[in-house]
Amino acid sequence: MREAKGRGAEMVVYPELALTTFFPRYWMEEEEAQRRFFETTMPNPQVQSLFDEARKLGVGFYVGYAELTPEGIPYNTAIIVDKSGKIAGKYRKIHLPGHTDHKTDAPFQHLEKKFFNVGDLGFRVFDTMDVKFGMCLCNDRRWPETYRVMALQSAEVVVLGYNTPSINIYWNEPVHLRTTTHLVSLQANAYQNGIWVAAAAKCGSEDGHHMIGSSAIVAPTGEIVARTVSEEDEVICVKADLSLGEHFREHVFNFAKHRRPEFYGLIVDRVGAGEPLA
Ligand code: CDV
């Protein structure tokens, strides 16, 4: 945060589940996961210094963590904290990947469906620090619906954290494809919605498990304007011209003028692919 501030940043984006290891890779019972890895309050004494530093530096931030509500509901959560150190927005992950069973043949697990409930807050946009921010988490970034719902609320910047293991436990996906599909998701959705996207990852080895990293900032042109180059802790920084998206929002992706929702019904009526319409 201090380094980012030194480079002129006003908003810092941290990864998904930034306060713990990416624990959905480990088989354990829900109770154990909740005891070891979930936050029951936010802020709390362990993270207060981050909030204090944000206020001191006059920097906002986004951070992902495992949330256990007072009712005992577990979510994969992200918050935006404003420059005064106040929580200005909260998001709970909606597109949870992975499985609930113990895959004993896999090199590691991906137990998000076991450890978290589907988020109940929707894809909201928060007007804070003079920017309309949307938020999502990791797998959400691959789904066009995520960004379009926020762009329809005039989002200008979507911030997101992610943890993408280099190994796909389902098929022998080449590592370069893991990075390609990550970047193409950010780029296509930034362009098609005329928004900035800032995506922050854990990278390199975490507990001996390799993550793709490749944090990136993408302009509304769909171009990558900053990208990490190492597998170490790194700060990438961009002065984002929020008006850059206007050209796209006023012309090719002028939603009010060109969208045809009367033909998009299947997007909400159907979950999986089915037969062609009669
Ligand atoms: N933490 C994630 O949501 N990871 C997913 C996959 C790789 C399981 C992702 O889309 O990167």
Side-chain angles (χ1 to χ4, degrees):
M1 186 181 278
R2 291 185 194 122
E3 186 180 338
K5 173 70 182 180
R7 290 167 59 179
E10 295 179 67
M11 174 74 180
V12 174
V13 183
Y14 292 104
E16 175 189 42
L17 297 179
L19 307 178
T20 59
T21 191
F22 188 67
F23 63 86
R25 71 166 73 91
Y26 302 119
W27 176 258
M28 68 190 104
E29 293 308 323
E30 286 87 332
E31 294 71 26
E32 181 182 347
Q34 291 175 10
R35 185 168 32 82
R36 292 176 61 192
F37 300 113
F38 281 66
E39 316 294 326
T40 52
T41 53
M42 188 56 66
N44 57 46
Q46 284 74 39
V47 294
Q48 188 59 50
S49 56
L50 190 63
F51 282 66
D52 293 345
E53 196 64 15
R55 192 174 56 241
K56 196 171 112 199
L57 297 173
V59 167
F61 68 92
Y62 159 107
V63 68
Y65 63 97
E67 176 193 13
L68 191 64
T69 70
E71 297 75 34
I73 318 267
Y75 294 108
N76 188 345
T77 295
I79 49 172
I80 289 178
V81 177
D82 70 16
K83 293 177 185 178
S84 71
K86 222 177 66 249
I87 295 177
K90 181 184 267 194
Y91 168 73
R92 290 172 174 153
K93 187 171 180 179
I94 288 174
H95 297 103
L96 295 173
H99 51 97
T100 54
D101 56 320
H102 191 184
K103 298 205 177 298
T104 48
D105 290 340
F108 53 87
Q109 310 296 302
H110 199 113
L111 294 165
E112 287 195 59
K113 284 194 191 294
K114 177 175 169 70
F115 292 147
F116 302 116
N117 281 25
V118 172
D120 61 348
L121 299 176
F123 294 108
R124 291 182 53 206
V125 168
F126 302 92
D127 202 338
T128 177
M129 299 176 278
D130 298 322
V131 178
K132 291 189 178 65
F133 281 106
M135 299 189 249
C136 65
L137 277 161
C138 197
N139 193 258
D140 290 317
R141 77 193 187 285
R142 304 183 189 273
W143 297 86
E145 294 87 348
T146 297
Y147 305 82
R148 185 50 56 88
V149 169
M150 294 192 275
L152 284 167
Q153 300 167 70
S154 306
E156 296 170 299
V157 179
V158 168
V159 286
L160 67 100
Y162 63 100
N163 283 285
T164 302
S166 302
I167 294 173
N168 185 330
I169 61 171
Y170 294 106
W171 64 285
N172 191 18
E173 183 178 1
V175 177
H176 79 270
L177 261 193
R178 301 285 268 177
T179 305
T180 301
T181 56
H182 150 63
L183 292 173
V184 86
S185 300
L186 305 183
Q187 291 183 258
N189 285 288
Y191 163 63
Q192 289 166 356
N193 293 287
I195 54 174
W196 286 85
V197 178
K202 291 186 190 169
C203 64
S205 173
E206 185 184 65
D207 297 353
H209 295 273
H210 195 261
M211 324 280 273
I212 64 165
S214 284
S215 298
I217 303 172
V218 179
T221 55
E223 294 167 301
I224 298 167
V225 291
R227 184 175 162 186
T228 53
V229 291
S230 77
E231 294 194 342
E232 305 300 322
D233 285 343
E234 225 182 295
V235 174
I236 56 173
C237 196
V238 156
K239 190 168 173 50
D241 174 359
L242 296 183
S243 70
L244 200 57
E246 276 170 20
H247 302 296
F248 298 98
R249 293 197 297 264
E250 280 170 20
H251 301 289
V252 62
F253 294 120
N254 184 325
F255 291 169
K257 210 165 168 184
H258 304 304
R259 289 185 78 247
R260 291 285 166 252
E262 65 272 30
F263 295 109
Y264 305 155
L266 275 193
I267 287 177
V268 286
D269 292 344
R270 269 191 198 169
V271 181
E275 293 301 313
L277 291 178

